[in-house]
Amino acid sequence: MITATGPPKKSTHNTEQNNMMEVDNDGNPATQIRISLQLYRGCDESLEVPSLPMAVPANLKRKGLASIVNHLLGRTDTDKQDNEDEDEESTSSTASGNDNKLAPLPFDFLIQKTNRLLRTSLENAVRSSGLSTEEDLLISYFPAVKPPQTGDDTEPLPDWVSAIAFSSNFFMSGAYDGILRVHDVSSGAVSSQVQAHDGPIKCMSVHPYTGNSNVVANSNDIMIATGSGDHTLVTHIYNCAENKLRLNAEYTGTHTNGIEAARFNSAGNTLASADWNGNVALWQVPDIINTNDNSEGQSKKKSKRAKEDFTGTDSSSNNVTAGVTWKAHSSNVSGVVWSLDNKHLITGSWDHSVKTWDAERQDCLLTLNGARVVTTLDRCSNSDIIATGHPDSAVRLWDMRVGGAKEQAKVLDASLKVSHKAWISAVEWSPIEPHMLATTSHDGLIKMWDIRSTLPLHSVRAHKKGEKGLCVTLGENIAFSGGSDCMIKKFTW
């Protein structure tokens, strides 16, 4: 019987609720567990319920607990508790026929002692974690992430969409035709485009551009780095006010094979790149040059790529050589990210390893070896936990902390259960929520994950069957995916 008090209810409703709590599905007296519910930090305070301990059936799952929370909040719940498929993570809220009552909300529940989301019955979750059913269980709750809804698609592009990145009111795409495109977030329309490379664009990184004392930059201007299978690495600056792309710099003299990964540091003044041969390079990113200072002789040295720039671009640029380069892996480096403090680089490779490097001295501080090729990686927004994708359809989590926490570095026990059906092509961590990430795969699906559960929150088909998902990017409650169908898909929630 629930002992916590809540908003006044009709006696008949309380009787029905109490009866439900007293018996199991077979009509037998139900084993009970005492719990206390606590609103998760940062949530809307109007969703707070009394935190007094209450006794509930041990066989309750997420939907049953959500019914209790909605009951205490005075939200009409017309749905009956039923069996839950553990791989089905989405619950839709339905409006009540009574306009005077708020509709029930789907909730998720976090067991505080284990920091794991509830995905089985309370009893199973307690026993599998080695907790006692005799102790009060503190459970945090918060509104569940809504299923992604498909938005308007962009017009089909001429070639596969292989790289994508989100920034403010725009998102950028790179394709196998070598063209860098800037799209409006709302409509998906192309605002500006440039022939950035002669070969396919394989990687992309973006960073807000602020300029220097000699250059006045719009607060929304964006620096965009792209690497290509043609061995070239370039940066462009997108002027949001003028809808104009300008070639900022070409990075030359180092990579002799396809560039598979590139990433700005948090300041945007250093760019890390990695190639198919296993090499990593660090570059100082220059400020945009004043094109009025270019001589006629310099203008004649524009590359074939510059001559093919689309209308609305300026192709004058700096030429940059690497500050440092080293052999990081024995095979293709498929991902590179900066550590949270920007002192280290984290790399993943087809040689089955992930490594942490001292960026200043190029010393390898940590090597973790896995059993599979690393096809992609990304870092959590507030720690040095990384997620990697692999050809065996798995997404794995790695703790790459070094220094005082070096002994803790490992493949996390919380690695996610295999859910995709093909090669993982992209992993992207949410810039807002440190527990959430998105993945896409050659199965054409996008999956949303909360790493406090081994199962995906949601799975949606981004690209039709037979087509590959190649890239994904996340913003706040928005995602974009590109694939071999030459389409960019938009999702909101």
Side-chain angles (χ1 to χ4, degrees), residues 219-240:
S219 60
N220 293 320
D221 286 355
I222 305 164
M223 179 82 79
I224 310 164
T226 52
S228 171
D230 66 6
H231 314 176
T232 60
L233 176 69
V234 298
T235 51
H236 287 81
I237 293 175
Y238 178 61
N239 185 310
C240 300

Side-chain angles (χ1 to χ4, degrees), residues 3 14 20 53 56 92 123 128-129 133 174 181 218 241 300 353 363 379 383 441 451 489 491:
T3 59
N14 281 332
M20 181 185 75
V56 300
S92 298
E123 184 173 22
S128 64
S129 302
T133 57
R181 296 174 174 88
N218 187 293
K300 291 180 180 179
S353 70
D363 291 338
R379 180 181 61 79
S383 74
S441 161
I451 63 170
K489 302 287 186 174
F491 300 92

Side-chain angles (χ1 to χ4, degrees), residues 371-382:
R372 295 289 186 273
V373 162
V374 176
T375 57
T376 180
L377 69 79
D378 196 24
R379 180 181 61 79
C380 178
S381 61
N382 70 350

Side-chain angles (χ1 to χ4, degrees), residues 66-326:
S67 295
I68 292 175
V69 173
N70 279 303
H71 169 77
L72 294 174
L73 291 172
R75 292 177 173 270
T76 304
D77 189 354
T78 59
D79 295 334
K80 300 294 182 181
Q81 180 183 349
D82 54 7
N83 294 329
E84 292 182 299
D85 181 351
E86 292 184 7
D87 194 36
E88 179 59 47
E89 299 300 334
S90 42
T91 305
S92 298
S93 60
T94 55
S96 168
N98 189 340
D99 293 337
N100 295 325
K101 294 184 178 180
L102 295 172
L105 294 173
F107 287 97
D108 250 322
F109 298 87
L110 183 73
I111 299 176
Q112 289 282 17
K113 284 190 175 181
T114 63
N115 197 37
R116 304 296 291 169
L117 294 180
L118 182 65
R119 289 297 179 259
T120 62
S121 68
L122 283 170
E123 184 173 22
N124 287 344
V126 168
R127 295 189 185 281
S128 64
S129 302
L131 303 178
S132 172
T133 57
E134 302 300 322
E135 297 179 1
D136 287 1
L137 193 63
L138 179 59
I139 299 177
S140 294
Y141 66 96
F142 53 90
V145 176
K146 297 178 181 179
Q149 302 297 314
T150 305
D152 296 331
D153 300 337
T154 62
E155 293 293 325
L157 301 182
D159 215 331
W160 291 11
V161 182
S162 49
I164 199 165
F166 178 83
S167 180
S168 186
N169 297 320
F170 302 91
F171 68 94
M172 296 74 189
S173 68
Y176 267 50
D177 59 7
I179 297 177
L180 166 64
R181 296 174 174 88
V182 179
H183 305 257
D184 177 78
V185 164
S186 300
S187 65
V190 176
S191 301
S192 184
Q193 59 183 7
V194 61
Q195 187 75 44
H197 303 273
D198 297 330
I201 295 176
K202 303 301 295 291
C203 56
M204 179 182 296
S205 182
V206 301
H207 194 278
Y209 176 70
T210 56
N212 61 17
S213 59
N214 298 318
V215 180
V216 178
N218 187 293
S219 60
N220 293 320
D221 286 355
I222 305 164
M223 179 82 79
I224 310 164
T226 52
S228 171
D230 66 6
H231 314 176
T232 60
L233 176 69
V234 298
T235 51
H236 287 81
I237 293 175
Y238 178 61
N239 185 310
C240 300
E242 299 178 4
N243 289 331
K244 183 178 180 180
L245 277 165
R246 177 176 300 205
L247 180 60
N248 174 54
E250 297 180 89
Y251 303 79
T252 60
T254 295
H255 294 296
T256 59
N257 211 325
I259 298 172
E260 298 291 312
R263 192 67 63 103
F264 288 112
N265 66 352
S266 62
N269 57 10
T270 304
L271 178 65
S273 62
D275 65 28
W276 188 270
N277 290 335
N279 297 312
V280 171
L282 298 181
W283 317 78
Q284 289 301 308
V285 180
D287 284 296
I288 196 165
I289 62 174
N290 185 346
T291 56
N292 292 328
D293 294 338
N294 285 349
S295 67
E296 182 179 353
Q298 289 175 314
S299 300
K300 291 180 180 179
K301 294 181 181 180
K302 294 178 182 179
S303 66
K304 173 184 176 183
R305 185 168 56 259
K307 293 177 182 178
E308 294 176 351
D309 283 355
F310 284 72
T311 302
T313 67
D314 191 317
S315 57
S316 302
S317 70
N318 295 285
N319 194 292
V320 182
T321 57
V324 65
T325 182
W326 71 97

Side-chain angles (χ1 to χ4, degrees), residues 146-154 164-166 170-171 185 428-431 436-440 446-448 460 462-463 471-482 488-493:
K146 297 178 181 179
Q149 302 297 314
T150 305
D152 296 331
D153 300 337
T154 62
I164 199 165
F166 178 83
F170 302 91
F171 68 94
V185 164
E428 177 91 358
W429 223 292
S430 168
M436 285 188 61
L437 58 87
T439 58
T440 191
I446 286 182
K447 292 182 182 284
M448 304 295 299
V460 293
H463 306 278
C471 52
V472 66
T473 188
L474 286 178
E476 186 173 4
N477 300 328
I478 193 169
F480 296 92
S481 170
I488 297 175
K489 302 287 186 174
K490 176 182 177 181
F491 300 92
T492 56
W493 58 91

Side-chain angles (χ1 to χ4, degrees), residues 3 28 57 62 125 132 232 258 272 303 309 345 352 360 367 421-422 450 482:
T3 59
N28 300 317
R62 186 165 61 101
S132 172
T232 60
S303 66
D309 283 355
L345 276 179
H352 300 190
E360 183 177 355
T367 299
K421 304 301 181 185
D450 186 314

